[in-house]
Amino acid sequence: GIIRMEAGFEIIHCDFSDGLEQVQVLRRPPSEGGGGGGDGGPGARRRVMELEFLRGLSERYGDIGAGRTMLDYSGMVSALFFDVNLTNPDAARPDLPRLVNISTTDLTDIREYLEAVLATRSGSTAGGGVDWRGVTDLVVGRYADRLLYMGKGGLSLEDIRSEMDFLTATFVDGEADPGSVADAEAAARCGEHYVGHVAAISTTASDRAILAAVRSVTGRICGTLFSVRRLLYRADASEDSAVAAAATLRELAAWLEWARFRRCAGGCDVGEVCVVPMWPYGTVDEYYTPRCTNGTGTGGPSYWGLPRPSSWS
């Protein structure tokens, strides 16, 4: 079967009599939502139900939770593992890869690889391979907010130097001068920090593909950080150097395009939820700038190109 994440999650199972046990079936009470009314009427109830619906969905942004599913990352299959044409025919969205232009030969190769992985990993203990989710979470947790902080602009030369020293000092041996051989070695240590320990246990083709991808990302992050560090410590460094450093770090963040960069700024009140588009909900504006909501809908075109659900109109 298939588990698909969308608004919450959806289970598509080929045979519900195989491997599943019916535990409980209860009738839902009649819906009391909808309608108008004052603060205590049906309209208020509908708003609360919308809020709690969204609150439940927002808990699934990262995963289903509580170990209810275990992913075999060492058996992952992705078209990104292959040298194929993933260009989006919609020129306005080059950031979203698509398989529509892939050749029949390439598609056959991917299917054969998928079949081989399924045959090889069938019966494998989920979670027994490399926890790539854990590795990438460490990378994002280390750098995401700090990149945004330094890249926002407005920091003095001394402030951005201090932040850069915090991020890079772990990898610098002694007082290596920026631009020296030792400085290059420090950048290399930085790039390997979160992947070096898993390289030896990356035994599957999927592991090796993911390892190469993560190394590419950490290498670019660390290469950029140490390049900025050299700029900030030049003999003629000035406040203009801080401005140039911030611009370089913004470019890096734009290249990374991590989901963590799209959060509701400042967080939401306890009576609100941070909303991002989830099929079939969400607007174009909410994709680019997630917003806090208390359950009331907002106008604007659907991100999915659909009529907005009546409950959100």
Side-chain angles (χ1 to χ4, degrees):
I2 298 170
I3 297 179
R4 181 172 69 177
M5 300 300 295
E6 46 176 42
F9 66 93
E10 178 180 56
I11 298 176
I12 305 172
H13 203 61
C14 302
D15 182 359
F16 278 82
S17 66
D18 180 15
L20 295 177
E21 176 186 355
Q22 181 174 303
V23 175
Q24 180 174 272
V25 177
L26 299 175
R27 291 184 302 158
R28 301 295 301 157
S31 172
E32 298 183 54
D39 291 341
R45 177 178 293 274
R46 184 177 70 177
R47 183 184 62 77
V48 170
M49 295 303 292
E50 291 285 359
L51 171 63
E52 293 307 322
F53 175 66
L54 291 172
R55 196 191 302 277
L57 298 185
S58 69
E59 293 295 325
R60 305 290 173 260
Y61 286 166
D63 55 40
I64 295 179
R68 291 188 291 179
T69 60
M70 300 291 289
L71 299 183
D72 179 14
Y73 293 101
S74 295
M76 288 186 69
V77 176
S78 170
L80 296 172
F81 292 175
F82 297 82
D83 184 17
V84 297
N85 183 5
L86 298 178
T87 303
N88 191 333
D90 181 357
R93 296 305 305 271
D95 55 312
L96 301 178
R98 293 290 184 263
L99 285 167
V100 294
N101 293 317
I102 192 171
S103 70
T104 302
T105 301
D106 287 336
L107 187 58
T108 299
D109 289 342
I110 295 175
R111 285 174 172 167
E112 289 177 350
Y113 178 73
L114 173 60
E115 291 172 358
V117 168
L118 290 174
T120 302
R121 304 298 295 179
S122 179
S124 299
T125 302
V130 179
D131 181 10
W132 289 110
R133 164 72 182 273
V135 173
T136 54
D137 279 353
L138 286 172
V139 175
V140 173
R142 171 75 174 179
Y143 296 113
D145 292 351
R146 295 179 174 101
L147 289 177
L148 292 184
Y149 173 63
M150 291 187 292
K152 69 178 183 178
L155 295 182
S156 68
L157 176 62
E158 190 56 37
D159 284 343
I160 199 167
R161 273 179 174 174
S162 297
E163 189 69 28
M164 188 60 63
D165 286 344
F166 173 82
L167 280 176
T168 59
T170 300
F171 313 109
V172 176
D173 184 14
E175 298 182 2
D177 293 329
S180 65
V181 173
D183 185 60
E185 292 172 345
R189 281 191 290 272
C190 171
E192 285 293 295
H193 185 69
Y194 290 109
V195 296
H197 68 291
V198 298
I201 57 173
S202 298
T203 57
T204 70
S206 298
D207 282 332
R208 291 188 288 272
I210 299 171
L211 174 63
V214 176
R215 269 184 168 150
S216 175
V217 171
T218 56
R220 177 152 179 174
I221 291 171
C222 293
T224 301
L225 291 179
F226 277 85
S227 174
V228 168
R229 180 173 179 266
R230 290 190 291 273
L231 170 67
L232 295 174
Y233 279 97
R234 285 175 48 172
D236 60 349
S238 65
E239 295 302 325
D240 288 341
S241 303
V243 174
T248 299
L249 295 172
R250 285 196 298 274
E251 290 175 3
L252 174 61
W255 179 78
L256 291 169
E257 204 175 14
W258 284 337
R260 180 148 166 177
F261 295 151
R262 289 183 178 171
R263 299 189 299 184
C264 293
C268 299
D269 185 78
V270 291
E272 296 178 323
V273 176
C274 185
V275 174
V276 299
M278 299 167 290
W279 174 268
Y281 299 105
T283 67
V284 173
D285 287 343
E286 288 164 349
Y287 175 80
Y288 292 103
T289 308
R291 67 179 181 89
C292 297
T293 180
N294 62 1
T296 57
T298 59
S302 165
Y303 175 75
W304 311 102
L306 301 173
R308 288 179 61 75
S310 59
S311 59
W312 278 46
S313 59

